[in-house]
Amino acid sequence: FCTCIALRSAASAEPADEAGPAAPGLLRLSLEECIELALKNSRKLVAERHRLDVLDAQLQQAYWKPFSNIGANFFVSAVPDKQAEKVSVQDESGTPHEIWISTDDSPREDIQSFDGPWSPMLRLDVRAAIPLYTFGKYMYGTRALRAANEAKKAQYAQFRQQIRYQVTQAYHAIEGAREMLYTIGKGRGHLNKARKKVERDLENQEGTSTEIDLIKLKVFDNEITQYETQANEIERVGLAGLRFLVGGDDRHRIDVLDVPQSRVDRELEPLTKYKDDALDHRPELQSLRLAIKAMENKVKYRVAEFMPDLVGLLGFRYGFAPGRPDVDFWYLNDRFNVGPSLFFGVSLDYKLDIGLD
């Protein structure tokens, strides 16, 4: 009867449904069908699969992290057209000063290089900063993520085994309770016959029966009633637990196959073998070993963060002003802004963490 307590906790986890349409019918399922539906409809397994997808995405992100500092920019701006050029002249007093001479050779001091029409200027920038040596940060970081991912997969296998165990427990609890009710029904019939015989003998003062024998039979009858009540409770709780575990459409009622409970056709092996297999293959222990491995690599990663990263720098820039190659303008004469340019270098990148976050 301890099974009743475990199944009651599983059944009470599901909230009571509001009154809905009548049940379309009764589904009698085998144990294998119940396990298959429970694994398919388990929301816990769905949530765990999404968590595994998140870890897989984080692992892929870690693989591409060294190439995350590669980018490109494209600039579009404008530069003034050549409307005048600056020359030095002397006034009537002989004092030199600079004026602007327009394209038609007439002096115009009011014309500046920013007056008049403008022309477009285009520039493409490509830059990259790729870690060359990180003192183990990349290696330990990816190892920690891989171990965490494998630990989560081991937990997923554990959850699947738990569902199989709970469904099997509920299924056999229902079958066992019904076998018990059948046996109790048969036994109650024999008890009632014996009780009537004792009562008749006492009334007719025949036989060797006594009042104590009648009291014993009444006590046995009350005990059988108690066992019957417990068996009915186990059956109801088992059906509720099985319905909760199988999931699916709540309008369907779930029941087990109406066949006698069969014996387990399996010989027990030595206890030491089961212990060794449990220590070697239980997913909880496998998950724990992988979690420890992940934490060890995470500690090594944190230690490596005290060292700087050796980063290779590479950049390419090309700018030009279409149709304005003769513009006498300082911005366009700078080879950093116009024309092709290539630069490369090496730097030490050190992230300072003083623990203020």
Side-chain angles (χ1 to χ4, degrees):
F1 298 104
C2 297
T3 309
C4 175
I5 301 176
L7 293 176
R8 183 183 301 172
S9 61
S12 61
E14 184 175 12
D17 295 335
E18 298 180 357
L26 178 66
L27 296 179
R28 291 192 178 273
L29 304 174
S30 64
L31 177 59
E32 292 74 15
E33 291 173 335
C34 289
I35 293 176
E36 181 181 358
L37 288 175
L39 294 175
K40 177 182 177 182
N41 298 326
S42 174
R43 297 178 181 178
K44 187 173 184 179
L45 291 182
V46 173
E48 289 300 319
R49 284 194 292 269
H50 288 311
R51 293 189 181 97
L52 285 175
D53 292 339
V54 171
L55 290 177
D56 289 336
Q58 291 177 349
L59 185 58
Q60 294 298 325
Q61 184 181 13
Y63 287 147
W64 289 97
K65 185 175 178 59
F67 307 99
S68 61
N69 291 326
I70 299 177
N73 293 320
F74 184 73
F75 297 93
V76 179
S77 59
V79 294
D81 195 2
K82 183 178 180 181
Q83 298 295 314
E85 59 183 5
K86 187 185 298 184
V87 297
S88 179
V89 297
Q90 294 182 354
D91 57 13
E92 297 177 354
S93 61
T95 302
H97 62 280
E98 293 180 341
I99 64 172
W100 293 90
I101 302 298
S102 65
T103 54
D104 55 1
D105 295 333
S106 61
R108 297 177 57 190
E109 298 184 5
D110 58 335
I111 297 180
Q112 301 294 326
S113 62
F114 294 101
D115 296 338
W118 289 57
S119 301
M121 192 194 84
L122 310 176
R123 190 179 74 193
L124 174 66
D125 290 342
V126 180
R127 63 190 183 280
I130 301 177
L132 302 178
Y133 187 72
T134 62
F135 291 91
K137 296 185 186 70
Y138 178 75
M139 178 179 63
Y140 295 132
T142 53
R143 285 181 180 177
L145 286 174
R146 281 198 300 268
N149 197 352
E150 294 298 326
K152 202 64 178 177
K153 290 180 179 178
Q155 287 183 352
Y156 182 77
Q158 173 190 349
F159 295 146
R160 288 179 60 90
Q161 290 186 4
Q162 287 178 349
I163 291 175
R164 290 178 178 272
Y165 169 74
Q166 292 171 352
V167 172
T168 304
Q169 186 184 38
Y171 197 94
H172 287 301
I174 298 170
E175 288 186 333
R178 290 179 178 175
E179 294 285 346
M180 186 182 301
L181 290 172
Y182 176 79
T183 304
I184 289 174
K186 292 291 185 180
R188 186 182 291 277
H190 295 293
L191 181 63
N192 290 334
K193 290 181 180 180
R195 181 177 174 179
K196 290 179 181 179
K197 182 179 183 304
V198 171
E199 290 176 347
R200 186 172 56 252
D201 290 345
L202 291 176
E203 182 179 357
N204 299 327
Q205 294 182 354
E206 298 177 353
T208 59
S209 301
T210 62
E211 290 290 339
I212 295 178
D213 295 331
L214 181 59
I215 292 174
K216 288 181 179 179
L217 290 176
K218 291 182 178 180
V219 171
F220 291 155
D221 185 69
N222 291 330
E223 290 180 351
I224 289 177
T225 302
Q226 179 183 0
Y227 293 149
E228 185 178 16
T229 302
Q230 291 179 348
N232 285 322
E233 183 179 4
I234 291 175
E235 181 187 19
R236 290 193 300 269
V237 175
L239 286 171
L242 188 64
R243 184 68 193 84
F244 168 75
L245 292 169
V246 169
D249 192 351
D250 294 338
R251 296 175 300 173
H252 291 95
R253 293 187 297 119
I254 302 297
D255 204 349
V256 302
L257 295 179
D258 190 12
V259 294
Q261 189 176 23
S262 60
R263 293 186 57 185
V264 178
D265 187 15
R266 183 181 181 88
E267 295 293 335
L268 290 178
E269 300 184 17
L271 179 61
T272 54
K273 182 180 185 306
Y274 293 110
K275 290 181 178 180
D276 294 338
D277 290 344
L279 292 175
D280 293 338
H281 304 297
R282 283 302 300 169
E284 299 94 331
L285 298 178
Q286 181 67 13
S287 176
L288 181 59
R289 285 191 286 266
L290 291 169
I292 293 174
K293 181 179 178 180
M295 293 304 298
E296 289 175 348
N297 284 280
K298 186 176 180 180
V299 170
K300 295 178 181 178
Y301 172 82
R302 292 302 183 186
V303 173
E305 282 190 328
F306 288 102
M307 304 300 293
D309 295 338
L310 184 63
V311 181
L313 304 176
L314 180 64
F316 172 76
R317 172 174 290 181
Y318 184 78
F320 66 102
R324 306 294 178 182
D326 58 341
V327 178
D328 185 12
F329 184 51
W330 64 270
Y331 189 83
L332 295 181
N333 291 333
D334 188 349
R335 301 305 299 175
F336 188 75
N337 298 312
V338 177
S341 60
L342 179 68
F343 64 92
F344 58 89
V346 178
S347 69
L348 288 177
D349 184 14
Y350 185 79
K351 297 179 176 61
L352 180 62
D353 185 3
I354 58 177
L356 294 181
D357 57 347

